[in-house]
């Protein structure tokens, strides 16, 4: 854990992949939040330091790696719990969005989700929330350099996992039948133009499924999430160009990667060496 004092810096931002939601990337040293509430679900992940807050008549301390959720409309405060302060990422998710994810998970209408006051200490969930926030922020900051398919998948993965594991009334996961035809249709859509941005919502609409069920069906039948499967197809296409002696830059562009560094990162993860060395 860091011994350097945090500053008081905060940035609110939005993404078109999640209309009506606000996101916060911040660190605080001596800032203190007065009692207030949000109309949305407040879903933070503490990255470093620790935050203390009053909520539902009790005092809580959320340390690094924890997810202290606040339900919509409920009063809470916030201040440092360590001398250095704290750094965190926060989703402010509209009630309608979280409700829709719960309905999609169950395959039918569910009661309005709520979360117990206890801090969630689940390292896997914390990683999923952090990964989704980072992926969406990457799209917002870097624009075309991000991958909307991967970012939206990470978002639905984080929220659905939170609901299934930690909601007060957990939505049952609907049974899903084999549907090879729909999976093949999604594969065709994914490879139709691998250089074109594609969101998970758009992919799901191709086969008439909800976003959650399209991702779940595809992952179950292929073993990979849609964005990971698409990147594998891009890499397979890239091998032919590399064998033919094309430059790494040209191969990256022709294979649908946003830039050479994006291509190199995925290539090395799959083949163990950078594309130039492989060639």
């Amino acid at each position: 854990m860091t011994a350097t004092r945090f500053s008081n810096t905060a940035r609110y931002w939005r993404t078109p992949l999640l209309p009506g939601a606000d996101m916060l990337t911040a660190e605080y040293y001596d800032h203190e939040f007065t009692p207030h509430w949000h109309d949305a679900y407040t879903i933070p992940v503490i990255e470093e330091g620790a935050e203390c807050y009053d909520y539902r008549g009790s005092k809580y301390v959320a340390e690094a790696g924890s997810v202290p959720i606040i339900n919509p409309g409920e009063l809470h405060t916030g201040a440092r719990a360590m001398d250095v302060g704290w750094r965190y990422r926060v989703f402010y998710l509209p009630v309608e969005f979280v409700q829709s994810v719960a309905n999609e998970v169950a395959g039918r209408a569910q009661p309005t989700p709520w979360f117990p006051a206890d801090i969630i200490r689940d390292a896997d969930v914390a990683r999923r929330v952090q990964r989704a926030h980072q992926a969406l922020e990457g799209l917002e900051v870097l624009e075309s350099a991000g991958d909307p398919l991967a970012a939206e998948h990470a978002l639905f993965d984080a929220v659905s996992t939170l609901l299934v594991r930690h909601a007060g009334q957990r939505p049952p996961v609907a049974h899903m039948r084999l549907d090879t035809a729909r999976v093949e249709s999604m594969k065709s859509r994914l490879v139709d133009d691998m250089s074109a941005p594609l969101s998970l919502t758009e992919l799901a609409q191709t086969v008439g499924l909800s976003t959650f069920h399209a991702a779940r069906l595809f992952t179950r039948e292929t073993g990979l999430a849609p964005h990971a499967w698409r990147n594998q197809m891009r890499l397979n296409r890239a091998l032919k160009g590399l064998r033919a002696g094309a430059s790494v830059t040209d191969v990256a562009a022709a294979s649908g990667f946003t830039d050479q560094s994006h291509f190199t990162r995925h290539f090395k993860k799959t083949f163990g060496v950078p594309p130039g060395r492989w060639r």
Side-chain angles (χ1 to χ4, degrees):
M1 188 171 292
T2 183
T4 304
R5 190 180 80 178
F6 289 111
S7 59
N8 292 314
T9 58
R11 189 176 74 89
Y12 280 90
W13 48 277
R14 288 188 164 191
T15 171
L17 288 179
L18 192 50
D22 291 311
M23 272 66 71
L24 170 66
T25 305
E27 61 180 61
Y28 294 111
Y29 167 59
D30 56 4
H31 182 75
E32 295 187 7
F33 291 95
T34 59
H36 65 287
W37 75 84
H38 303 278
D39 293 330
Y41 290 90
T42 302
I43 303 179
V45 56
I46 311 295
E47 294 187 308
E48 289 189 79
E51 179 191 14
C52 62
Y53 60 99
D54 297 328
Y55 180 50
R56 292 186 181 177
S58 298
K59 294 184 180 296
Y60 296 89
V61 174
E63 72 284 359
S66 65
V67 181
I69 295 181
I70 306 292
N71 289 302
E74 298 202 0
L75 280 172
H76 60 285
T77 62
R80 69 184 185 192
M82 298 177 60
D83 288 342
V84 296
W86 80 101
R87 178 166 62 85
Y88 66 170
R89 294 173 174 272
V90 188
F91 281 106
Y92 298 97
L93 298 181
V95 173
E96 297 78 13
F97 174 76
V98 177
Q99 179 74 67
S100 70
V101 175
N103 295 346
E104 288 187 16
V105 169
R108 60 181 184 274
Q110 293 295 294
T112 301
W114 61 277
F115 292 89
D118 292 341
I119 295 169
I120 294 173
R121 293 182 172 90
D122 180 330
D124 177 61
V125 162
R127 281 191 295 270
R128 291 171 193 250
V129 173
Q130 183 184 46
R131 182 167 58 240
H133 199 279
Q134 289 172 329
L136 289 169
E137 188 175 28
L139 289 178
E140 194 271 341
V141 173
L142 302 175
E143 296 179 348
S144 62
D147 184 347
L149 188 63
E152 194 174 8
H153 183 274
L155 172 66
F156 273 84
D157 173 70
V159 177
S160 61
T161 303
L162 268 172
L163 288 167
V164 170
R165 291 189 192 174
H166 298 288
Q169 186 169 342
R170 301 171 189 178
V173 180
H175 174 71
M176 185 173 55
R177 297 178 180 178
L178 291 173
D179 197 335
T180 303
R182 276 196 167 105
V183 172
E184 290 303 315
S185 294
M186 285 190 278
K187 286 181 179 179
S188 296
R189 181 70 175 87
L190 287 167
V191 300
D192 181 45
D193 182 355
M194 290 196 284
S195 64
L198 177 67
S199 71
L200 188 59
T201 297
E202 291 169 333
L203 180 65
Q205 289 171 346
T206 301
V207 293
L209 291 175
S210 72
T211 308
F212 174 81
H213 278 87
R216 184 173 169 229
L217 175 66
F218 191 94
T219 302
R220 190 186 70 176
E221 296 206 21
T222 67
L224 293 172
H227 67 278
W229 186 89
R230 195 186 201 196
N231 281 334
Q232 182 62 57
M233 294 299 292
R234 286 168 168 163
L235 291 172
N236 291 347
R237 174 181 292 183
L239 295 179
K240 182 178 180 180
L242 291 173
R243 289 191 185 104
S247 72
V248 173
T249 301
D250 289 343
V251 170
S255 304
F257 288 97
T258 54
D259 53 39
Q260 183 175 329
S261 64
H262 184 219
F263 171 50
T264 299
R265 183 170 66 253
H266 284 286
F267 193 97
K268 189 173 181 180
K269 284 181 178 180
T270 300
F271 299 108
V273 294
R277 184 177 174 188
W278 185 93
R279 182 182 59 181

